[in-house]
Amino acid sequence: MILQADAGGLMQMLPFVAMLGVLYFFMIRPQMARQKKEKSFRAEIKKGAKVVTTSGIHGRIVEINDKNNTVVIETGAGKIRFERAAISMELTQKQIEK
């Protein structure tokens, strides 16, 4: 009698466990992979690379400061200092691929 009640409770929890598994594999895991890729991208940025910031400013990196984690980008209007996290993508690789 007790074994049947335990098995019934386990069967009721199975859909919730399955939903958590689906949530992990379709939402959490891809987000973690994306964050890891962005972190490695920002760590590999080199001086002279053409980049776009998250605010849409295009420019070329002229200085990288590892102490305070900033970069200086040269645009058509002058030089601007940004946080390294503000770099959205590198245009140098996209131009090579075309």
Side-chain angles (χ1 to χ4, degrees), residues 4-75:
Q4 290 176 350
D6 289 340
L10 183 62
M11 292 303 285
Q12 288 178 349
M13 290 189 64
L14 189 62
F16 294 112
V17 172
M19 284 192 314
L20 288 175
V22 168
L23 181 73
Y24 175 77
F25 281 107
F26 285 109
M27 294 184 73
I28 297 170
R29 190 168 167 229
Q31 179 64 25
M32 288 172 39
R34 195 174 309 119
Q35 287 174 346
K36 186 177 181 182
K37 184 178 175 183
E38 287 177 6
K39 185 176 180 181
S40 68
F41 162 72
R42 289 185 180 119
E44 295 173 358
I45 292 176
K46 303 239 186 293
K47 190 174 175 182
K50 294 181 181 181
V51 295
V52 178
T53 64
T54 54
S55 59
I57 297 174
H58 293 241
R60 185 176 55 88
I61 295 178
V62 292
E63 181 183 331
I64 298 174
N65 189 346
D66 289 328
K67 290 180 184 175
N68 59 4
N69 213 19
T70 60
V71 294
V72 176
I73 297 177
E74 182 178 32
T75 64

Side-chain angles (χ1 to χ4, degrees), residues 1-9:
M1 204 82 186
I2 294 173
L3 293 176
Q4 290 176 350
D6 289 340

